[in-house]
């Protein structure tokens, strides 16, 4: 909190300082203008008399004073109402499911309960579970869907991905079996190759990751961002060159 408060104080000081510098410069320019006007009137014999210090009354500084006070009060109010600001540098990851995803999951569950054989409802629920980090539920829902429609490479790839994250970012025998089945059905299946490439890249196996991505590029039946795959391959090749040096 002390670091945050110091940072806020420094920023406010700089802002207010610049504000006052600008105000003082404006007053000096105004003073110079009034003096010139006074000298001109005197030379021309004008009856108008303007004192150079007529503008420099107390009111000239009331506006910047009030502005400075407003900035300070407004900033401190926001700082104080910002919640648990004492622990700003001790934050932890919020593992709770986002309320929008939670709403989708609730709606999906209700729909599946009402229509347990609805393929679209099961698919949507499985995806919502995965989005919310509820990978075990996603695996179970995909199992129901696969049992309903039969073995499908895309569904098996999605299930293998959820198993991978459910098991702590590793491929246990159950996930390996699902992966083998998916690749036997479709060698370049999107989800399967993506999770295999991702795991290989994260573990420094850049050549393996490149191989999976290149096989994925032959996929003509599933839509995906091919440019992002090309970028991933180039990045992995760069990493591979660094390691081989």
């Amino acid at each position: 909190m002390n670091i945050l408060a110091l940072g806020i104080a420094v920023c406010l000081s700089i802002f207010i300082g610049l504000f006052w510098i600008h105000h003082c410069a404006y007053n000096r320019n105004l003073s110079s203008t009034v003096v010139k006007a006074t000298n001109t009137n005197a030379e021309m014999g004008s009856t108008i008399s303007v004192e150079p210090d007529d503008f420099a009354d107390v009111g000239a500084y009331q506006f910047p004073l009030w502005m400075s006070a407003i900035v300070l009060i407004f900033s401190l109010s926001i700082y104080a109402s910002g919640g648990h600001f004492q622990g700003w540098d001790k934050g932890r990851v919020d593992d709770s499911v986002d309320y929008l995803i939670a709403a989708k999951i609730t709606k999906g569950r209700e729909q599946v309960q009402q229509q347990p054989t609805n393929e679209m409802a099961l698919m949507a629920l499985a995806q919502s579970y995965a989005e919310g980090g509820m990978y075990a539920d996603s695996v179970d829902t995909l199992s129901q869907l696969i049992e309903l429609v039969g073995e499908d490479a895309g569904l098996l790839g999605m299930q293998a991905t959820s198993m991978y994250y459910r098991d702590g970012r590793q491929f246990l025998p159950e996930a390996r079996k699902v992966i083998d089945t998916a690749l036997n059905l479709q060698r370049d299946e999107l989800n399967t190759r993506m999770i295999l490439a991702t795991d290989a890249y994260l573990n420094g196996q850049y050549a393996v990751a490149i191989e999976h991505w290149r096989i994925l590029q032959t996929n003509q039946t599933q839509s995906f961002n091919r440019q992002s795959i090309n970028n991933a391959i180039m990045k992995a090749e760069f990493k591979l060159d660094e390691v081989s040096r």
Side-chain angles (χ1 to χ4, degrees), residues 197-214:
T198 299
D199 180 72
Y201 184 88
L202 293 176
N203 286 285
Q205 300 174 349
Y206 304 118
V208 176
I210 292 171
E211 181 182 359
H212 288 304
W213 281 321
R214 283 180 175 165

Side-chain angles (χ1 to χ4, degrees), residues 201 206-207 209-211 213-214 217 226-242 245:
Y201 184 88
Y206 304 118
I210 292 171
E211 181 182 359
W213 281 321
R214 283 180 175 165
Q217 286 181 318
R226 296 183 180 274
Q227 184 59 47
S228 65
I229 299 300
N230 291 332
N231 294 338
I233 290 174
M234 288 190 292
K235 186 175 181 180
E237 289 175 339
F238 178 77
K239 292 282 187 180
L240 192 60
D241 291 339
E242 285 186 332
R245 288 175 186 175

Side-chain angles (χ1 to χ4, degrees), residues 8-22:
I8 293 175
V10 170
C11 291
L12 286 175
S13 299
I14 293 173
F15 176 80
I16 293 174
L18 291 173
F19 182 77
W20 275 93
I21 290 173
H22 175 75

Side-chain angles (χ1 to χ4, degrees), residues 122 140-151 155 159:
L122 286 167
D140 293 339
T141 305
L142 286 168
S143 294
Q144 296 178 40
L145 182 56
I146 293 170
E147 184 177 354
L148 180 65
V149 302
E151 289 186 342
L155 295 178
Q159 190 177 45

Side-chain angles (χ1 to χ4, degrees), residues 10-237:
V10 170
C11 291
L12 286 175
S13 299
I14 293 173
F15 176 80
I16 293 174
L18 291 173
F19 182 77
W20 275 93
I21 290 173
H22 175 75
H23 179 74
C24 292
Y26 172 78
N27 279 348
R28 285 196 298 270
N29 292 336
L30 183 60
S31 176
S32 176
T33 300
V34 171
V35 170
K36 290 179 181 179
T38 303
N39 294 334
T40 301
N41 289 334
E43 292 174 359
M44 297 178 62
S46 173
T47 58
I48 301 175
S49 177
V50 181
E51 295 296 333
D53 293 334
D54 282 349
F55 69 93
D57 56 5
V58 177
Y61 293 94
Q62 287 183 350
F63 178 73
L65 284 173
W66 276 109
M67 285 296 296
S68 300
I70 290 172
V71 169
L72 285 172
I73 294 172
F74 183 70
S75 302
L76 291 175
S77 299
I78 294 177
Y79 177 72
S81 62
H84 185 61
F85 51 84
Q86 294 90 343
W88 73 277
D89 56 349
K90 300 177 182 178
R92 294 178 296 176
V93 176
D94 185 4
D95 295 325
S96 60
V97 179
D98 182 88
Y99 73 95
L100 292 176
I101 298 177
K104 288 174 61 178
I105 291 173
T106 300
K107 182 179 179 180
R109 284 173 176 169
E110 293 175 352
Q111 188 172 2
V112 169
Q113 287 176 356
Q114 296 171 2
Q115 302 174 338
T117 59
N118 187 324
E119 298 175 15
M120 298 299 295
L122 286 167
M123 172 67 80
L125 180 58
Q127 291 176 336
S128 297
Y129 278 139
E131 290 176 10
M134 303 171 67
Y135 298 110
D137 293 309
S138 178
V139 170
D140 293 339
T141 305
L142 286 168
S143 294
Q144 296 178 40
L145 182 56
I146 293 170
E147 184 177 354
L148 180 65
V149 302
E151 289 186 342
D152 176 84
L155 295 178
L156 290 169
M158 291 177 59
Q159 190 177 45
T161 302
S162 291
M163 286 178 175
Y164 173 78
Y165 289 111
R166 178 199 64 184
D167 300 332
R169 295 177 182 271
Q170 58 181 331
F171 294 114
L172 296 183
E174 182 186 12
R176 288 289 180 186
K177 183 178 178 180
V178 173
I179 287 172
D180 291 340
T181 305
L183 295 182
N184 285 333
L185 292 171
Q186 183 180 346
R187 180 174 179 268
D188 54 8
E189 198 284 314
L190 172 62
N191 296 294
T192 308
R193 289 297 177 184
M194 281 296 294
I195 195 60
L196 288 171
T198 299
D199 180 72
Y201 184 88
L202 293 176
N203 286 285
Q205 300 174 349
Y206 304 118
V208 176
I210 292 171
E211 181 182 359
H212 288 304
W213 281 321
R214 283 180 175 165
I215 293 174
L216 177 58
Q217 286 181 318
T218 66
N219 188 321
Q220 300 297 327
T221 60
Q222 294 172 289
S223 61
F224 57 93
N225 190 332
R226 296 183 180 274
Q227 184 59 47
S228 65
I229 299 300
N230 291 332
N231 294 338
I233 290 174
M234 288 190 292
K235 186 175 181 180
E237 289 175 339

